[in-house]
Amino acid sequence: MIFLFVITLFPSIILAEINDRVVGFVDNEAITLSELEIRYETAQKITPDITREEVLNTMINRILLVREAKKIRLEAPSEDELLEEYIDLKIRAFIRIRDEEMMVFYEKNIEEFQGREFEDVRGEIENYLIEKELNKRLKLHIQELKENACIKIQLEKEVE
């Protein structure tokens, strides 16, 4: 009796639940189409030409990294902070940029620094090179995590 009442008053809610489907799995964790669509809409505001596949891949990467952070018992107030702490601890902490690397970068890109001396831009160069190396190592780390996980993507039905 109550169930019929809910269907009568809120048919769109019931239909939304029925129409939602799983578009990806990471081991035993599912990613639903509705979750993907929410993330996709948000991502499009920042990067208009991003694809659903790229957003789904980012969601998968995030699940893998969060799971690893929890394995080593990291805790943080938010998932974003947890990921940042994990990346700092597992990857960023091991990146060292030598002075020679920074000087080579400076000399190759001297026109970008508009006449500023090396010592004036040293910090900017170091931060840039650290981020570049971090991205490279993070991609490798995620690839390793993916190789050890069971990932299935079911995005073949295109959504408008």
Side-chain angles (χ1 to χ4, degrees):
M1 184 77 110
I2 293 173
F3 182 70
L4 185 58
F5 171 74
V6 171
I7 291 176
T8 307
L9 287 180
F10 306 105
S12 61
I13 293 173
I14 302 299
L15 290 176
E17 292 298 319
I18 293 170
N19 288 332
D20 206 3
R21 65 183 179 86
V22 173
V23 293
F25 283 101
V26 179
D27 294 324
N28 61 349
E29 192 167 338
I31 299 170
T32 63
L33 180 60
S34 60
E35 291 170 323
L36 174 61
E37 287 304 310
I38 290 167
R39 293 277 176 101
Y40 178 65
E41 286 176 24
T42 303
Q44 272 192 313
K45 292 174 185 170
I46 298 165
T47 312
D49 59 342
I50 196 164
T51 66
R52 280 180 179 76
E53 291 81 7
E54 290 169 323
V55 173
L56 181 57
N57 210 9
T58 300
M59 293 172 76
I60 290 168
N61 295 347
R62 188 176 185 93
I63 289 168
L64 291 167
L65 291 169
V66 166
R67 184 171 61 190
E68 289 300 304
K70 289 179 179 178
K71 276 185 188 175
I72 61 171
R73 293 188 168 91
L74 288 180
E75 293 181 17
S78 72
E79 198 174 88
D80 287 340
E81 291 170 294
L82 179 67
L83 289 173
E84 189 174 320
E85 189 175 332
Y86 175 76
I87 291 167
D88 285 348
L89 181 68
K90 295 294 278 185
I91 300 172
R92 189 185 305 271
F94 299 100
I95 298 174
R96 300 289 176 261
I97 305 297
R98 297 185 336 266
D99 285 339
E100 298 81 31
E101 292 175 75
M102 289 185 276
M103 184 56 84
V104 167
F105 182 86
Y106 175 77
E107 289 171 356
K108 283 185 178 177
N109 299 282
I110 199 158
E111 67 281 349
E112 299 293 323
F113 299 110
Q114 301 171 349
R116 294 187 291 167
E117 295 296 318
F118 173 73
E119 286 305 318
D120 296 334
V121 295
R122 185 182 194 285
E124 290 174 45
I125 293 170
E126 185 175 28
N127 288 338
Y128 172 79
L129 294 175
I130 286 171
E131 289 303 311
K132 185 177 175 184
E133 183 64 21
L134 176 67
N135 287 333
K136 185 174 103 180
R137 291 184 188 193
L138 185 57
K139 283 180 186 177
L140 290 172
H141 184 62
I142 289 170
Q143 190 58 43
E144 289 172 10
L145 294 176
K146 284 182 173 182
E147 288 170 6
N148 295 317
C150 179
I151 298 171
K152 185 173 183 184
I153 296 175
Q154 303 171 324
L155 196 58
E156 56 273 349
K157 268 190 188 175
E158 190 56 41
V159 181
E160 293 179 14

